[in-house]
């Protein structure tokens, strides 16, 4: 079954240095969807090893299975427009509407 439009939870504002968790979920897809987060239209990288993540200055953890995007300490650099895309290889992938987060 193709995924439906996911429901995204993105805070509109956050204080610098706080923990922010965004979530993305859809329930119709079978097999279960994988989730990809985007910031300002660019796909966010999944944190693989500590070395590459530090080099890329990645301050978040993205879980493609659960759809969560976790920032341990948000910075002004994390301000932007976020959306998430659900796909399971069946039908076309589905995106939620873009949400602005101001840090």
């Amino acid at each position: 079954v193709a995924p439906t439009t996911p429901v995204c939870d993105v805070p509109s504002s956050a204080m610098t240095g706080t923990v922010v968790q965004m979530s993305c979920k859809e329930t119709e897809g079978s097999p279960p969807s994988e989730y990809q987060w985007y910031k300002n239209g660019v796909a966010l990288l999944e944190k693989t090893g500590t070395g590459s993540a530090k080099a890329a200055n990645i301050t978040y953890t993205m879980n493609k299975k659960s759809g969560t995007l976790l920032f341990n300490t948000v910075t002004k650099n994390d301000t932007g427009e976020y959306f998430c895309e659900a796909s399971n290889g069946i039908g076309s992938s589905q995106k939620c509407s873009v949400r602005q987060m101001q840090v």
Side-chain angles (χ1 to χ4, degrees):
V1 179
T4 55
T5 303
V7 175
C8 294
D9 185 19
V10 175
S12 57
S13 64
M15 292 289 292
T16 305
T18 59
V19 175
V20 171
Q21 180 165 317
M22 302 181 186
S23 64
C24 177
K25 196 80 188 144
E26 70 81 30
T27 52
E28 300 291 311
S30 179
S33 291
E34 288 212 336
Y35 304 96
Q36 171 66 51
W37 279 94
Y38 293 80
K39 177 188 173 188
N40 299 333
V42 179
L44 292 176
L45 298 167
E46 200 166 12
K47 209 175 198 173
T48 46
T50 48
S52 61
K54 279 204 167 53
N57 203 14
I58 292 176
T59 58
Y60 57 81
T61 307
M62 179 171 60
N63 186 323
K64 290 191 169 187
K65 296 269 187 253
S66 68
T68 57
L69 181 61
L70 178 68
F71 295 87
N72 285 326
T73 50
V74 291
T75 66
K76 286 194 171 22
N77 293 337
D78 296 317
T79 293
E81 297 187 327
Y82 290 85
F83 70 87
C84 141
E85 179 180 60
S87 58
N88 65 355
I90 298 168
S92 51
S93 57
Q94 299 288 330
K95 300 179 174 81
C96 65
S97 55
V98 175
R99 304 270 180 89
Q100 172 78 27
M101 178 175 76
Q102 184 73 41
V103 180

